[in-house]
Amino acid sequence: MSAKKTAKTVQDAALAKNVYATPALEKGLDVIELLAHESGGLTKSDISRRLNRTVSEIFRMLRCLESRGYIAQSDGDRYALTLKLFKLAQEHPPTERLITEALPMMHRVTHDIRQSCHMGIIEGAQVIILAQVNASTSVGFYVKLGSTVDLMEATSGYVILAYQEDEHRARTLAEWKRLTGRDVPENLESHLARVRRQGYEMRASYKVRGVVNISYPIFDERASAIGALTVPYIQHDEANASTAETCAILQKAALEITHVIGGSPPGKKRSVPQPAN
């Protein structure tokens, strides 16, 4: 391609970007993305300073987002996200079906092992908990519904990453690097390869001492992981399943969810692993 044609291509791309630019929408999305990482909320001045926008620009965005129910004021002058985005995500047809089909199996898991169970998916650079079921015990540990965990600090995150298509995984990791400003762990590839060999992940919680997370992938029709079913296993008197028994029960539930949503696990069905207690 000649230098003249190359210059024209770049000019056309820049022109197209300007033609289709939507600055008001971009400002609104900037506000939402900023508040998503601020659990305590931010004041109008804080938001203006963080986004390098004028207070008047931010004020119009805040009024619009508040009137539509995406944000609300808390502690007087601080703005925070509401649960509307989470509600919309749950009502999105593929997500709604996944939750609907998974919940009965999750209830069965908690009944059989007397431990809590949750289902997570990757959204951006985080794992978000879409469904959660508590065990009917007086003692237990659970992950809060709707909570988010950094991708690299979630057992379910590694399980999903391990079974994502290569291109999808590359996009996920690029987004994680962009949002966190950190480099991907050097041992990531070997870690994901180990997960694929095992067919699951079982390791001590990155966040809580005394909790061992056991996680199995849920697959779509392309044999790519779209979520993970996880039990945060703790030792307590009312529990009635070992870690090996929990693996077997959880693997069966994850496979049943996969099949009922029309998914397919990669290759042959794996035998149930027998991890050490």
Side-chain angles (χ1 to χ4, degrees):
M1 182 181 292
S2 68
K4 188 174 182 180
K5 287 185 177 179
T6 300
K8 186 177 185 304
T9 300
V10 172
Q11 185 179 30
D12 289 345
L15 180 61
K17 183 177 180 180
N18 289 333
V19 169
Y20 295 108
T22 51
L25 176 60
E26 289 179 356
K27 283 185 282 189
L29 292 175
D30 285 343
V31 171
I32 289 174
E33 290 175 358
L34 175 62
L35 292 178
H37 299 283
E38 299 291 340
S39 58
L42 292 171
T43 66
K44 180 171 55 182
S45 297
D46 290 335
I47 298 170
S48 173
R49 185 175 61 256
R50 296 274 196 95
L51 297 180
N52 195 26
R53 302 280 188 179
T54 66
V55 173
S56 61
E57 284 182 292
I58 293 303
F59 178 73
R60 289 195 295 271
M61 289 300 105
L62 294 177
R63 288 292 299 272
C64 177
L65 291 171
E66 187 174 20
S67 68
R68 297 294 294 268
Y70 288 97
I71 65 173
Q73 291 192 60
S74 61
D75 295 332
D77 61 346
R78 303 179 77 85
Y79 290 89
L81 289 183
T82 67
L83 292 176
K84 184 169 183 177
L85 286 172
F86 180 64
K87 182 174 180 291
L88 290 175
Q90 288 186 306
E91 292 173 351
H92 182 51
T95 303
E96 182 183 25
R97 185 185 177 199
L98 179 59
I99 295 171
T100 300
E101 300 292 359
L103 279 173
M105 282 93 165
M106 293 171 66
H107 278 286
R108 190 183 66 206
V109 167
T110 60
H111 177 269
D112 290 345
I113 66 175
R114 299 178 75 78
Q115 304 267 3
S116 72
C117 178
H118 60 265
M119 180 178 65
I121 64 169
I122 291 178
E123 182 65 34
Q126 296 181 310
V127 172
I128 182 169
I129 307 305
L130 281 185
Q132 192 274 333
V133 178
N134 288 341
S136 57
T137 55
S138 58
V139 177
F141 175 85
Y142 70 93
V143 177
K144 186 178 178 181
L145 179 66
S147 61
T148 58
V149 185
D150 185 287
L151 179 60
M152 297 299 172
E153 296 179 352
T155 304
S156 52
Y158 288 103
V159 168
I160 299 170
L161 275 178
Y163 288 100
Q164 280 186 337
E165 295 172 336
D166 292 344
E167 185 178 344
H168 191 177
R169 186 187 306 116
R171 290 197 303 270
T172 300
L173 294 177
E175 180 69 0
W176 181 83
K177 290 174 64 177
R178 184 184 72 82
L179 292 176
T180 64
R182 308 203 307 264
D183 291 329
V184 171
E186 292 182 1
N187 68 340
L188 179 62
E189 285 304 319
S190 60
H191 188 164
L192 299 183
R194 184 174 69 251
V195 172
R196 286 189 290 270
R197 286 195 302 271
Q198 295 177 158
Y200 76 113
E201 173 84 305
M202 181 171 71
R203 62 167 298 146
S205 169
Y206 293 88
K207 293 285 191 180
V208 184
R209 293 179 182 177
V211 174
V212 175
N213 287 321
I214 304 172
S215 188
Y216 279 83
I218 298 169
F219 299 101
D220 63 15
E221 69 281 359
R222 300 184 305 274
S224 178
I226 57 171
L229 202 60
T230 303
V231 167
Y233 188 96
I234 63 171
Q235 297 284 351
H236 65 90
D237 291 343
E238 296 180 61
N240 60 357
S242 66
T243 53
E245 292 168 333
T246 298
C247 281
I249 291 169
L250 196 60
Q251 181 189 44
K252 181 180 179 183
L255 284 172
E256 288 183 358
I257 296 170
T258 292
H259 291 146
V260 79
I261 64 173
S264 175
K268 290 184 177 180
K269 180 179 177 181
R270 294 175 175 82
S271 59
V272 176
Q274 297 297 323
N277 291 330

